[in-house]
Amino acid sequence: MAMGLQRRPATRGATLADTTDPGEAAVGRQRVGNPALFGGLALLTALVGLLDFRTGEDLHVIPLLVVIPALVSVFGTVRQTIGVASWITVVVACSRMVDGGTFWDTATSVAFTVLACFLGVGACVLRIRHATQIARLRSAAGALQRQILRPLPILTDQVLTHGIYTPIEEDRLVGGDIYEVVESPYGTRVIIGDVQGKGLAAIGVGFAVLGAFREAAIREPDLAGVVDALEDAVARHNAFSAQTGEIERFVTALVLGFDGRDRVQAVNCGHLSPRLLHRGVVRALPLRRTSVPLGMAELSPEARGAEPLDVPADATLLLCTDGVTEARDPSGAFYPLDARLSRWAELGQVELLEALHADLEAFSGGVRRDDIAVLALRRAPDGTPPRTGPTDHGARRAAVAFSGR
């Protein structure tokens, strides 16, 4: 469960297994145990030997065993493939010597068997090497996503934010889900978004949006001004992408602002509506001024504007990306988010997210087609110490620097 990002510090006594990426370790792991593999091999050898004995001189089927190392190379480890290849070489050589053929017939058969087994072992080595490289790419993409996002939970003067973030880490399927929570002189600003498309290019657009949000959130007094800065960032990134041959992308985003007077404002740029969980009831908050996604402002004649949200102090506000709503079960049915949330409307933030994450895994059978990002926000409890330390002062200094005052 990705309730936050935890990093285990390296120790001097760490072994290679401790430092190996889990994806790389899984590549070299046995899929079939040695007892099952070699027990099946012995049984198959006995059956083929019996068939060879029954066919006599008319048809020799023992040499057909040379295909087994190639089959094992598809799912077995290198050691298992070498073991199977060695066994097949010995069986074929002994069979040819027992048959009593000429020296050249025996030598040719054994040489062909050795060559076939060698090719099987080589194919296994190449498969594992290629799979290891792919696993490293997946891990690097997932690590890049995690590095540009802040660990959860996050506490500010106005909001306590818990969340789930699980990147798919599947080659080109790596998505661009983003989120951020920034405390500013104007309150707490929150964003959750989803970049169009997949791959590292999508992560690049997400990074551009996050960088712009972190600056604009502490610079702009108005929430609509923050969103305008995000639009400019996506437009600039798309212009650069066009010059380098990349496709232009848009970003759906929901931007919230929590001020010190218990007001909540929202600007929705084509994103999913937030869900409000309050006193056992779940409902989607209607947003009347939903605008186009970031990067598409020129297609809409209306300027983006913030609208108020009615969020009681003891309510939980749930934000998510379409990795949740578009999750599918084996039959292809979409995940019924609202129906499932109604079961957990009385739960706290952490328990709610744990239940949602576990239910998503069970519903989809562990097969995810997109990143999953979920934020559960609740007003900071009364009595929370004011955050007037370095974080607050730094935000105010940055806001003054950006505004030129």
Side-chain angles (χ1 to χ4, degrees):
M1 165 128 354
M3 304 302 294
L5 307 181
Q6 298 180 355
R7 297 180 176 85
R8 185 176 64 178
T11 60
R12 289 187 177 181
T15 63
L16 180 61
D18 295 327
T19 58
T20 301
D21 180 81
E24 295 183 44
V27 169
R29 190 175 299 128
Q30 291 183 359
R31 301 181 185 179
V32 179
N34 288 332
L37 176 63
F38 289 102
L41 177 63
L43 179 60
L44 180 60
T45 302
L47 292 176
V48 173
L50 178 61
L51 180 61
D52 186 79
F53 176 76
R54 294 291 297 272
T55 57
E57 297 293 332
D58 296 332
L59 178 64
H60 290 289
V61 295
I62 285 291
L64 297 179
L65 291 173
V66 296
V67 302
I68 295 181
L71 296 177
V72 174
S73 69
V74 175
F75 61 86
T77 65
V78 174
R79 290 185 178 182
Q80 287 178 328
T81 306
I82 292 175
V84 170
S86 301
W87 171 262
I88 296 302
T89 301
V90 172
V91 170
V92 172
C94 292
S95 172
R96 295 300 299 167
M97 287 187 291
V98 170
D99 288 341
T102 65
F103 170 79
W104 290 113
D105 287 342
T106 301
T108 301
S109 179
V110 172
F112 176 78
T113 301
V114 171
L115 176 61
C117 292
F118 177 80
L119 292 177
V121 173
C124 183
V125 172
L126 293 177
R127 174 185 66 83
I128 293 179
R129 181 179 299 172
H130 176 71
T132 300
Q133 292 174 345
I134 295 299
R136 287 174 181 171
L137 290 175
R138 294 175 181 174
S139 176
L144 178 60
Q145 285 177 292
R146 292 188 177 95
Q147 288 300 317
I148 66 176
L149 299 174
R150 294 179 62 188
L152 295 163
I154 302 171
L155 174 64
T156 68
D157 284 350
Q158 292 80 28
V159 183
L160 172 60
T161 305
H162 287 273
I164 300 170
Y165 173 64
T166 53
I168 192 169
E169 298 185 12
E170 188 70 24
D171 289 352
R172 296 185 179 181
L173 296 181
V174 172
D177 285 9
I178 58 173
Y179 68 83
E180 182 58 288
V181 179
V182 174
E183 187 171 14
S184 77
Y186 315 106
T188 297
R189 271 75 186 270
V190 180
I191 185 175
I192 187 168
D194 189 1
V195 181
Q196 173 213 7
K198 309 291 183 184
L200 294 178
I203 297 179
V205 179
F207 185 75
V209 173
L210 285 176
F213 179 77
R214 287 163 180 163
E215 293 183 0
I218 60 176
R219 179 188 66 204
E220 299 292 339
D222 184 65
L223 196 63
V226 175
V227 177
D228 289 340
L230 303 184
E231 173 67 31
D232 292 341
V234 177
R236 288 193 299 269
H237 194 280
N238 281 338
F240 178 78
S241 297
Q243 295 174 0
T244 57
E246 293 284 345
I247 64 172
E248 299 181 8
R249 300 174 186 268
F250 62 82
V251 183
T252 65
L254 179 63
V255 182
L256 303 179
F258 297 78
D259 64 16
R261 295 181 294 277
D262 294 334
R263 294 188 305 181
V264 182
Q265 290 186 316
V267 179
N268 190 1
C269 303
H271 199 73
L272 298 172
S273 298
R275 268 64 175 180
L276 183 72
L277 292 80
H278 185 229
R279 298 181 179 177
V281 178
V282 178
R283 63 186 178 93
L285 291 180
L287 296 170
R288 297 179 297 275
R289 302 183 62 179
T290 299
S291 60
V292 296
L294 300 173
M296 303 178 67
E298 60 182 13
L299 302 180
S300 175
E302 298 182 2
R304 296 186 177 96
E307 61 179 294
L309 291 181
D310 182 15
V311 181
D314 57 344
T316 298
L317 196 61
L318 190 78
L319 319 178
C320 67
T321 58
D322 60 9
V324 175
T325 57
E326 295 183 4
R328 302 193 184 202
D329 65 9
S331 68
F334 288 106
Y335 184 71
L337 176 62
D338 293 321
R340 298 302 175 91
L341 287 178
S342 63
R343 304 177 182 178
W344 314 311
E346 299 285 355
L347 298 179
Q349 290 170 279
V350 175
E351 293 78 10
L352 168 66
L353 293 171
E354 289 177 347
L356 176 60
H357 189 269
D359 193 59
L360 272 171
E361 289 293 315
F363 180 84
S364 62
V367 178
R368 290 187 289 109
R369 298 175 176 84
D370 200 355
D371 295 351
I372 292 176
V374 184
L375 297 181
L377 301 94
R378 186 183 284 259
R379 297 283 183 81
D382 294 337
T384 301
R387 295 170 59 86
T388 57
T391 300
D392 184 67
H393 292 317
R396 295 183 184 278
R397 286 198 301 271
V400 170
F402 281 123
S403 63
R405 296 193 298 270

